[in-house]
Amino acid sequence: MNKISEILEGVKTVGIGGHIRPDGDCVGSCMGLFLYIKKNYPEIAVDVYLDHPKEGFEYLKDFGEVKMETGGETEYDLFVACDVSSLDRLALTRDCFDRAKETLCIDHHVSNPGFAKVNYVCPDVSSASEVLYGLLEPDKVDRSIAEAIYTGIIHDTGVFQYSSTSPETMQVAGELMKTGFDFSKIIEESFYQKTYIQNQVMGRVLAESILLRDGKYIAGYLKKRDMDFYGITSADLDGIVSQLRLTKGAEVAIFLYEIRTQTFKVSMRSNGAVDVSQVAVFFGGGGHVRAAGCELQGSMHDVINNIMDQIERQQTMESLD
Ligand code: 5GP
Ligand code: MN
């Protein structure tokens, strides 16, 4: 692999951007790279763009410098997309990406088509943050950079639980830990902690969830009027689909919430028996084998039925293989 030092040779300006509705891995990888360049390449002017990241990540160093809009005519020598599975998922910065002299993508989505000029896409790696770490020089990773990368890894592995967690993931986490940050605090406050309202909404979704096909699948939903009632946005819904997936006997959990009238964001989680990334890709979305998402239009029941049909069709095809 070309190390980031080679990629940055001769580069004077860098822009970094993540995906829409940034999650922990997106924030962690973008901030990790931002802090790494700031610290080790002071001669390079670097900007990081994130589309309204959650307040819970404020413990990351220089989080206040994150830009939430682009400034017109910026033409970067290098633009880096982190954790972005396809160009249409790049948030805020499409103009910067298109104008940049060089583009780089650091990602781990199996559905990534390789949309940048240089692509470090490793589908077997737990997180974009772990892919990023592989490009860095370990002795140049200080505590604040380590905090960002560690944040990304714990979010995309469900705190080292999901099957994407490898021995290498643990080794990277161990190296990061040596810098001496408060990992318990990061895990609790950025991953597990919820506001009272967020817990109430999760409770409601769980209480109203439905089992399908004799409990093989479970679906939860939230209508727009309910989101408005609680005064919440999509950022408040993290963890709900993972909790649904923990239902005994369920192979796939589906969680849908209405982002506009009759338009639903669908999140899917699988225990591995079903490849939900294929289901998501069928509907124009993407993701990983065990975690994927897409957007669908129609009534809630139509959306659930369409997703179910596609899951079953995929399973039928697999059994014919
Ligand atoms: P989540 O369900 O947490 O929103 O997303 C799970 C995974 O699927 C993430 O890796 C995310 O990037 C991907 N994903 C979710 N929604 C979409 C989508 O609409 N399009 C694409 N390409 N990927 C998505
Ligand atoms: Mn990721």
Side-chain angles (χ1 to χ4, degrees):
M1 260 194 188
N2 275 332
K3 290 274 178 188
I4 206 83
S5 57
E6 288 169 36
I7 297 164
L8 291 176
E9 248 167 53
V11 166
K12 293 193 174 64
T13 56
V14 177
I16 302 168
H19 59 74
I20 51 171
R21 289 189 287 272
D23 59 5
D25 185 30
C26 178
V27 173
S29 53
C30 287
M31 289 305 292
L33 180 59
F34 175 65
L35 293 169
Y36 185 89
I37 294 176
K38 259 186 81 167
K39 171 174 179 272
N40 298 300
Y41 298 85
E43 69 284 6
I44 295 180
V46 56
D47 293 324
V48 62
Y49 300 89
L50 288 167
D51 190 3
H52 297 86
K54 279 192 298 183
E55 286 169 12
F57 296 115
E58 271 158 1
Y59 60 89
L60 295 175
K61 185 164 182 259
D62 295 341
F63 201 63
E65 290 180 27
V66 169
K67 293 180 190 290
M68 286 194 242
E69 51 191 41
T70 56
E73 295 303 299
T74 319
E75 187 184 309
Y76 292 105
D77 290 341
L78 173 70
F79 191 86
V80 190
C82 293
D83 199 34
V84 178
S85 58
S86 57
L87 205 42
D88 61 318
R89 302 256 307 155
L90 183 66
L92 309 170
T93 49
R94 180 61 196 265
D95 55 339
C96 298
F97 184 92
D98 288 343
R99 274 202 295 267
K101 293 191 190 110
E102 288 297 333
T103 55
L104 170 67
C105 179
I106 298 173
D107 188 33
H108 68 129
H109 289 90
V110 66
S111 55
N112 191 312
F115 59 84
K117 281 192 199 150
V118 179
N119 298 281
Y120 289 113
V121 180
C122 310
D124 296 333
V125 174
S126 72
S127 52
S129 300
E130 188 183 334
V131 178
L132 169 68
Y133 186 78
L135 299 175
L136 307 181
E137 292 175 52
D139 56 345
K140 291 186 174 168
V141 173
D142 70 9
R143 184 175 167 155
S144 62
I145 301 162
E147 278 179 336
I149 296 174
Y150 188 87
T151 296
I153 292 177
I154 59 159
H155 276 256
D156 259 26
T157 60
V159 193
F160 309 110
Q161 183 206 343
Y162 305 150
S163 60
S164 57
T165 311
S166 68
E168 290 74 32
T169 312
M170 305 310 282
Q171 270 159 9
V172 170
E175 287 305 311
L176 297 171
M177 234 174 171
K178 285 181 191 165
T179 63
F181 55 85
D182 189 345
F183 58 89
S184 308
K185 190 165 186 277
I186 291 182
I187 291 172
E188 168 137 352
E189 291 182 10
S190 95
F191 189 79
Y192 286 113
Q193 199 174 69
K194 303 226 170 290
T195 64
Y196 179 64
I197 294 287
Q198 287 166 348
N199 266 333
Q200 275 194 314
V201 171
M202 182 182 299
R204 176 170 171 162
V205 173
L206 296 178
E208 293 181 350
S209 64
I210 42 181
L211 291 175
L212 301 148
R213 311 284 198 271
D214 291 332
K216 250 172 98 175
Y217 312 120
I218 183 165
Y221 56 89
L222 207 53
K223 297 228 172 117
K224 194 167 177 312
R225 60 161 190 267
D226 298 319
M227 293 180 67
D228 293 343
F229 171 80
Y230 288 106
I232 54 160
T233 67
S234 61
D236 296 300
L237 305 174
D238 279 3
I240 294 183
V241 70
S242 308
Q243 188 59 44
L244 285 167
R245 218 259 321 143
L246 286 172
T247 309
K248 195 167 180 187
E251 288 180 1
V252 180
I254 305 153
F255 173 49
L256 45 152
Y257 58 92
E258 206 172 10
I259 43 179
R260 292 180 296 281
T261 306
Q262 299 253 311
T263 299
F264 288 88
K265 167 82 206 174
V266 179
S267 272
M268 291 177 279
R269 296 293 182 273
S270 159
N271 69 358
V274 174
D275 177 352
V276 286
S277 94
Q278 284 191 31
V279 177
V281 166
F282 179 84
F283 292 111
H288 313 278
V289 172
R290 291 170 185 250
C294 52
E295 274 180 34
L296 263 85
Q297 286 182 335
S299 72
M300 200 188 74
H301 287 102
D302 284 349
V303 170
I304 294 179
N305 284 333
N306 287 339
I307 295 275
M308 294 302 300
D309 282 353
Q310 199 50 41
I311 291 175
E312 305 254 279
R313 200 160 292 164
Q314 196 219 318
Q315 292 217 296
T316 313
M317 285 188 312
E318 264 176 19
S319 62
L320 291 174
D321 279 349

